Amino acid sequence: MSASRYDKPQLALGRLIPYDHFRTVESFEMGKCGSEVRAMLGLKAPFMKTLSFALPWDGIIYAYVRRTAEFDEFCRRGGFDPDGAAVYLNDWDDRFNLLVESRDGKRDVSCFIDTGEMRSLLERCCRIPEQRRPREENKKKS
């Protein structure tokens, strides 16, 4: 891990996690397939307002990510097997921090993601019904 939390590359999210490999869930109690890993997102209010759909008030989203070859290689560069890894995507205002942690929590690898790519992922992925409803502000404008 880098000595500075700001000293990390910016990568293309679509290569690591394409939108069709990402689905939101109500909780991690929901079933997942063997090629999926858990993902937890932390969104801030300004970013949440740019999305077209309803979100939980706290900005926490649970999801599953179906692994890609690029995702697996990203984990291996961090020195761990991607099986059972956990993904965290956190809003840093002007970008997102993508952190992938090993199953045992002892190793991780991270990069920055462009906010536009994060928005595209969330708008295009498979979302639970509660996240398909338009935001209340959008309803009032119609």
Side-chain angles (χ1 to χ4, degrees):
M1 189 162 141
S2 173
S4 169
R5 65 187 194 141
Y6 297 99
D7 185 22
K8 58 183 102 179
Q10 180 151 340
L11 299 178
L13 180 59
R15 292 189 54 106
L16 293 174
I17 306 173
Y19 76 91
D20 59 351
H21 283 56
F22 186 91
R23 65 183 176 102
T24 66
V25 293
E26 291 176 12
S27 74
F28 293 135
E29 298 300 314
M30 297 182 78
K32 69 177 186 72
C33 71
S35 64
E36 290 180 316
V37 295
R38 294 177 176 189
M40 193 164 133
L41 288 71
L43 309 177
K44 294 181 180 177
F47 179 80
M48 290 170 37
K49 289 177 184 176
T50 69
L51 298 170
S52 66
F53 56 92
L55 289 164
W57 66 269
D58 61 2
I60 303 296
I61 296 178
Y62 302 99
Y64 289 133
V65 173
R66 187 165 26 112
R67 294 173 16 211
T68 61
E70 289 85 358
F71 179 87
D72 287 359
E73 178 57 31
F74 185 69
C75 293
R76 288 187 185 101
R77 282 196 306 260
F80 60 92
D81 185 334
D83 187 44
V87 175
Y88 301 94
L89 286 151
N90 292 302
D91 188 340
W92 278 31
D93 298 321
D94 62 340
R95 57 193 157 183
F96 273 77
N97 182 52
L98 168 77
L99 175 97
V100 183
E101 187 177 75
S102 65
R103 177 189 298 261
D104 63 7
K106 294 181 180 177
R107 293 185 175 264
D108 63 59
V109 62
S110 65
C111 67
F112 289 120
I113 301 297
D114 179 75
T115 57
E117 288 187 82
M118 191 67 218
R119 185 177 306 103
S120 178
L121 172 82
L122 291 172
E123 292 286 354
R124 299 172 69 196
C125 73
C126 180
R127 297 188 306 264
I128 58 175
E130 293 80 11
Q131 294 167 357
R132 292 184 200 147
R133 293 190 317 262
R135 286 191 350 228
E136 290 300 317
E137 295 170 21
N138 291 349
K139 286 182 185 176
K140 292 175 186 174
K141 291 178 185 175
S142 305

